[in-house]
Amino acid sequence: QKKLGYNCGVYELKRINNEFYSFIKDCENSKTATIVLRGMNKNSMKEIEGNIEDAIGVIFSLWKNSKIVIGGGGFEIGLYRKCEKIINEIDNDKKRLITKELNKALLCLPKILCENAGCVGIEKIRKIEDKINDGNFEFGINGLSGKIENNKLNGIVDAICVKESYLK
């Protein structure tokens, strides 16, 4: 009762693709939800299921730690630019080379975002770098429009815990 709720209004038994499902609806104080997936074939179902699991993972991460950063690759490009300045101060040639290569990896995500938005990655990255050099750290690629925009105003954000995990 703590999770499902109480005083449920509707109980239905439905048959979907030779499987029976119970639907309990309109419960007071419910803390559960069900997502029924339907797809063309097993491959598309697995892809949809994976996407939903990813989305739920992000929501859970935000629930644990609600800190966010601006999305659309601007965070990575800004971090890349900051690290570039520090790399030149490293005395040891081997450490400098390793750090330089690791720093290049920061641009992978913005390049992928640009390609997925149908843009030439390196051109957009340079434009975002120009905005960041002007002190506008809120800019990045808008994956829907393919344009460089103020992602803070557009609500395009990432959970900081996701950034922390891949930077570790």
Side-chain angles (χ1 to χ4, degrees), residues 4-160:
L4 185 59
Y6 51 88
N7 292 336
C8 296
V10 178
Y11 172 80
E12 289 182 63
L13 183 65
K14 286 187 180 181
R15 185 175 180 177
I16 302 173
N17 294 336
N18 297 325
E19 303 255 348
F20 287 98
Y21 295 90
S22 294
F23 292 87
I24 302 170
K25 301 178 183 177
D26 302 328
C27 298
E28 292 179 27
N29 200 29
S30 177
K31 293 177 177 55
T32 62
T34 302
I35 301 172
V36 178
L37 303 177
R38 297 181 69 173
M40 299 289 291
N41 55 45
K42 285 186 179 183
N43 289 340
S44 65
M45 288 297 296
K46 287 289 181 192
E47 189 172 336
I48 292 168
E49 187 177 338
N51 290 338
I52 289 173
E53 285 176 3
D54 289 346
I56 290 170
V58 169
I59 291 167
F60 181 72
S61 296
L62 282 169
W63 178 70
K64 285 173 56 178
N65 180 356
S66 61
K67 294 178 183 174
I68 57 172
V69 294
I70 304 304
F75 170 81
E76 289 82 0
I77 295 170
L79 189 56
Y80 169 82
R81 298 293 290 164
K82 294 266 185 201
C83 289
E84 242 183 4
K85 294 174 185 173
I86 296 169
I87 288 171
N88 296 328
E89 298 171 8
I90 298 173
D91 294 333
N92 184 311
D93 289 340
K94 187 175 180 180
K95 286 182 181 179
R96 183 172 47 252
L97 182 62
I98 291 169
T99 307
K100 199 172 209 173
E101 291 303 312
L102 286 170
N103 195 37
K104 282 183 192 176
L106 288 171
L107 296 180
C108 289
L109 182 71
K111 285 178 186 175
I112 291 167
L113 290 171
C114 289
E115 289 172 13
N116 288 346
C119 311
V120 178
I122 205 70
E123 290 176 12
K124 294 287 184 180
I125 287 171
R126 296 293 170 238
K127 289 180 182 177
I128 295 170
E129 279 183 327
D130 291 343
K131 295 274 188 190
I132 288 171
N133 286 339
D134 293 340
N136 296 318
F137 295 100
E138 299 170 350
F139 280 79
I141 184 104
N142 181 329
L144 297 174
S145 68
K147 297 178 182 175
I148 295 167
E149 297 177 351
N150 185 321
N151 284 345
K152 183 177 181 182
L153 295 178
N154 292 332
I156 300 171
V157 295
D158 289 320
I160 197 151

